[in-house]
Amino acid sequence: MRKEVISQISTNYAKALLDAASVSNLEENIKSQLEQTKEIFNSSRDLQIVMNNSSISTSKKNEILDSVFKDKIDAKVLNLIKILIQKGRLDELNAIYSAYKKMLDTNSNIKNVQVISSIELDEEYKQKISELIKTKLTSEINTEWNVDKSIIAGLIFKFDDYVIDTSARARLEDLSRNIS
């Protein structure tokens, strides 16, 4: 779960898209389509080059977009892509997706939690930790599990803007600072 910088512009686009999707109760569907669209752009350097080429007219770009995406994604997502290309902001697509997902999770009371351990945890232990986190945060959670052998023992929890570090490495560092 890497922290992506989300600009105010990306947030504004995501908010407008979420508002439009909410009218039709299509929030999750739009999220899925937005993710697929961003993946297509991320994996196709040729498509990016064509869409960012200022010598190609907007109408020609729109024709290309229609041929690639029409009947595959909702008109709201397609119109967003067209606006981004027209305004030269296609590079904001990843951040718009991140902002949209974050807003949708917030509206649904879902927290994204990263748990870092020094060893791979078994499924039973992960389930117990997940239940404890859900209870403490009083919300649904999406959990990302990572291993970092340098923490020696214990766990590190990251969510929202919080980091709870119960690792042996952190305790040793605290001890070292207090002794100095």
Side-chain angles (χ1 to χ4, degrees):
M1 187 185 320
R2 73 183 171 84
K3 203 71 156 162
E4 182 171 1
V5 177
I6 301 173
S7 69
Q8 187 61 47
I9 292 168
S10 298
T11 301
N12 292 343
Y13 280 114
K15 174 84 170 94
L17 185 60
L18 184 60
D19 289 346
S22 297
V23 171
S24 311
N25 271 349
L26 294 173
E27 299 94 340
E28 285 294 331
N29 192 20
I30 294 293
K31 180 183 94 173
S32 174
Q33 292 177 16
L34 190 58
E35 181 178 25
Q36 291 170 348
T37 304
K38 116 182 146 60
E39 292 303 322
I40 289 169
F41 276 101
N42 287 342
S43 65
S44 177
R45 184 77 181 126
D46 292 338
L47 186 58
Q48 288 179 36
I49 290 169
V50 168
M51 292 300 141
N52 288 317
N53 187 333
S54 59
S55 66
I56 299 174
S57 71
T58 302
S59 62
K60 185 63 178 168
K61 290 177 184 178
N62 286 343
E63 285 177 34
I64 294 168
L65 289 171
D66 286 339
S67 70
V68 172
F69 293 109
K70 196 157 186 142
D71 299 328
K72 294 181 179 96
I73 61 174
D74 189 276
K76 293 169 189 63
V77 177
L78 183 56
N79 288 337
L80 171 69
I81 301 304
K82 288 178 179 180
I83 290 167
L84 292 176
I85 289 168
Q86 181 183 1
K87 302 238 182 228
R89 295 192 184 277
L90 186 58
D91 59 333
E92 295 279 340
L93 187 56
N94 289 334
I96 291 168
Y97 170 74
S98 295
Y100 184 94
K101 184 178 178 314
K102 185 175 181 179
M103 287 177 204
L104 193 57
D105 287 349
T106 299
N107 291 350
S108 303
N109 194 30
I110 297 173
K111 299 258 187 231
N112 294 300
V113 179
Q114 182 180 24
V115 181
I116 304 167
S117 61
S118 62
I119 60 169
E120 185 66 39
L121 303 174
D122 66 40
E123 289 304 314
E124 183 180 334
Y125 197 60
K126 285 180 181 179
Q127 186 63 34
K128 287 179 183 177
I129 292 171
S130 293
E131 289 302 320
L132 180 63
I133 295 169
K134 283 170 70 170
T135 301
K136 293 289 183 187
L137 296 179
T138 63
S139 65
E140 292 300 312
I141 61 169
N142 290 326
T143 312
E144 179 183 325
W145 301 91
N146 294 305
V147 174
D148 179 354
K149 294 182 185 318
S150 72
I151 69 171
I152 305 169
L155 299 170
I156 299 173
F157 302 92
K158 295 180 179 181
F159 60 95
D160 296 336
D161 291 330
Y162 298 100
V163 175
I164 300 172
D165 191 341
T166 65
S167 69
R169 178 182 68 194
R171 291 181 181 165
L172 289 171
E173 288 171 358
D174 285 346
L175 182 61
S176 176
R177 277 192 295 271
N178 290 333
I179 292 173
S180 300

